[in-house]
Amino acid sequence: MLVAFSVAPSGEGPLGSDNADASVHDAVAAAVRIVRESGLPNHTDSMFTTIEGEWNEVFDVIRRATEAVGQFGSRVSLVLKADIRPGHTGELTGKLERLEKALGE
């Protein structure tokens, strides 16, 4: 399965934190670090992180990433989109390869 997710803190952050520009890059970095350390295939762009694997392992990583972001605010927003296709692997790149081939035809 592929799961694209976006996670961000909101509300008050840790005591003494300075977030004058409303940036969430430190919180997002904490989440992405967990994803990358998981060893599962993944890709991060400006809006989402996509991770590929089996149901339990993917959602465990997303849970841990969400908990890490929770350290940066009193609330957490989590958006998910999943492509559940049993028996298929390598779709993180495979879907793009098929798209590029179709565009080239």
Side-chain angles (χ1 to χ4, degrees):
M1 78 182 314
L2 292 174
V3 179
F5 74 102
S6 173
V7 60
S10 63
E12 292 185 23
L15 194 58
S17 65
D18 180 21
N19 193 18
D21 67 353
S23 179
V24 296
H25 63 270
D26 289 333
V28 172
V32 171
R33 186 172 295 112
I34 288 168
V35 171
R36 291 183 179 174
E37 289 173 354
S38 75
L40 295 175
N42 65 84
H43 170 79
T44 299
D45 61 37
S46 61
M47 298 291 293
F48 288 93
T49 293
T50 304
I51 185 169
E52 182 172 15
E54 297 298 320
W55 186 278
N56 289 339
E57 60 189 1
V58 167
F59 279 96
D60 177 62
V61 172
I62 293 170
R63 177 190 53 79
R64 291 186 289 120
T66 302
E67 289 171 349
V69 169
Q71 302 298 311
F72 292 85
S74 57
R75 299 178 81 162
V76 176
S77 171
L78 175 63
V79 176
L80 298 166
K81 181 170 182 174
D83 181 359
I84 303 164
R85 197 169 180 196
H88 288 79
T89 59
E91 291 298 290
L92 191 65
T93 56
K95 290 177 84 168
L96 291 174
E97 290 166 359
R98 290 188 299 276
L99 172 63
E100 291 299 329
K101 181 178 178 190
L103 288 169
E105 294 176 350

